[in-house]
Amino acid sequence: VVGTPDAKLGQRVVAFMVAQEGATIDEGALRAWLHEQLSSYKVPKQFVFMPALDVPRTNTGKVHKPSLRDMLA
């Protein structure tokens, strides 16, 4: 999950998601479940689904969040 600039709110929450092999994700069901679990302002406004191999990583294997933000630009 990363924050990206938003003209109205200052920042918006975007979640990058990787599904397990062969799984499908119902974005509506995911969003509904998140609304039950989190305060509404914490629920991501956007979801980006991507293969695990496309997730940018640092040399130590951590997710490289600046690269994720760059993908949204």
Side-chain angles (χ1 to χ4, degrees), residues 3-67:
T4 61
D6 183 88
K8 183 178 177 183
L9 302 172
Q11 224 180 40
R12 76 184 152 94
V13 179
V14 179
F16 286 82
M17 308 288 295
V18 174
Q20 290 182 340
E21 183 84 22
T24 57
I25 299 174
D26 179 347
E27 186 174 338
L30 174 61
R31 190 175 298 282
W33 182 79
L34 287 171
H35 275 287
E36 292 173 4
Q37 305 299 314
L38 302 170
S39 300
S40 61
Y41 73 93
K42 293 181 180 181
V43 176
K45 303 300 180 215
Q46 179 182 353
F47 293 94
V48 177
F49 300 96
M50 61 192 320
L53 293 176
D54 290 348
V55 176
R57 300 205 177 260
T58 65
N59 291 338
T60 59
K62 294 181 180 180
V63 174
H64 191 251
K65 289 186 177 185
S67 293

